[in-house]
Amino acid sequence: MEVPTESVEQKNVSDPGDDRCSDNDFGPSILGTKEYWEEAYQRELETFSDIGDVGEIWFGEESMSRVLRWMEKAKIPEDASVLDIGTGNGAFLVELAKHGYSNLTGIDYSPASVELSRNVLKAEDLTDVPVKEMDFLNCQGELKGFDVCIDKGTFDAISLNPDDSTDGKKFYVQTLKDAVNDKGFFVITSCNWTKEQLLERFSEGFEYVQELPTPSFQFGGKTGNSVTALIFKRKGN
């Protein structure tokens, strides 16, 4: 479950007055519904079956490359346990495996996404990479012990849920705290939230490590980024 950048409002323009962590920053959107993603990945599944096209890589290939560069620079071991939250078409799992990472897990609440991811991995002879049908907000404590958790658009989608995005965001943080090992890392890429908002949202249980460089723009005398990518570390108990 990853959010296409062109389909949501771009919020990441620097303005101190807008940096408070509000639960009312966005109106509800179909992008926050399971039904939307199931239909989207069902179409991509059919396309992959027909012509072998894995579908869109949300935030572009560079979004994966910048995380992989950080992992290399941070000397993340190749056997580190890595969770891809909302794996979508599984493209990031493929790239992680190609870069030598061997202890990977992908989850998504869309059955079509899970089937697509498994098919994409199988086509790359990566059948040993598990992909589970699982709702991150309702995982019943099954997600624990990960050294690195990666989110590329899933928190954005949860923030757009028409039913209850406020509780969803709170459940997300709690689940994440349970999933990441002490001193483990959380990597988030977002096109909805500014750096300051993400820092406040994940201040409970996590400490900020660094911001990954993303393309910037200027508008109305202000400088901003269409995408924010941050690294957090889980605080020890």
Side-chain angles (χ1 to χ4, degrees), residues 211-223:
E211 181 176 14
L212 303 183
T214 60
S216 62
F217 64 90
Q218 289 189 333
F219 180 77
K222 299 176 182 177
T223 300

Side-chain angles (χ1 to χ4, degrees), residues 73-88:
K73 186 175 181 180
K75 294 181 170 54
I76 302 297
E78 290 185 350
D79 63 350
S81 54
V82 180
L83 176 65
D84 188 16
I85 304 170
T87 196

Side-chain angles (χ1 to χ4, degrees), residues 104-120:
L104 306 173
T105 301
I107 63 166
D108 205 294
Y109 69 179
S110 162
S113 160
V114 172
E115 185 177 355
L116 173 61
S117 298
R118 289 172 178 168
N119 289 351
V120 169

Side-chain angles (χ1 to χ4, degrees), residues 132-147:
K132 302 177 181 180
E133 183 183 332
M134 183 180 296
D135 184 345
F136 189 68
L137 302 184
N138 189 29
C139 64
Q140 307 298 324
E142 292 184 41
L143 298 174
K144 293 183 182 297
F146 289 96
D147 299 311

Side-chain angles (χ1 to χ4, degrees), residues 161-197:
N161 190 304
D163 294 328
D164 197 345
S165 66
T166 299
D167 282 347
K169 286 178 281 189
K170 293 177 181 177
F171 288 149
Y172 183 101
V173 175
Q174 186 56 56
T175 303
L176 185 68
K177 287 165 61 179
D178 293 339
V180 183
N181 278 332
D182 287 351
K183 304 299 184 181
F185 294 97
F186 170 53
V187 185
I188 183 169
T189 301
S190 170
C191 61
N192 279 0
W193 301 102
T194 65
K195 173 183 177 181
E196 290 75 16
Q197 288 170 322

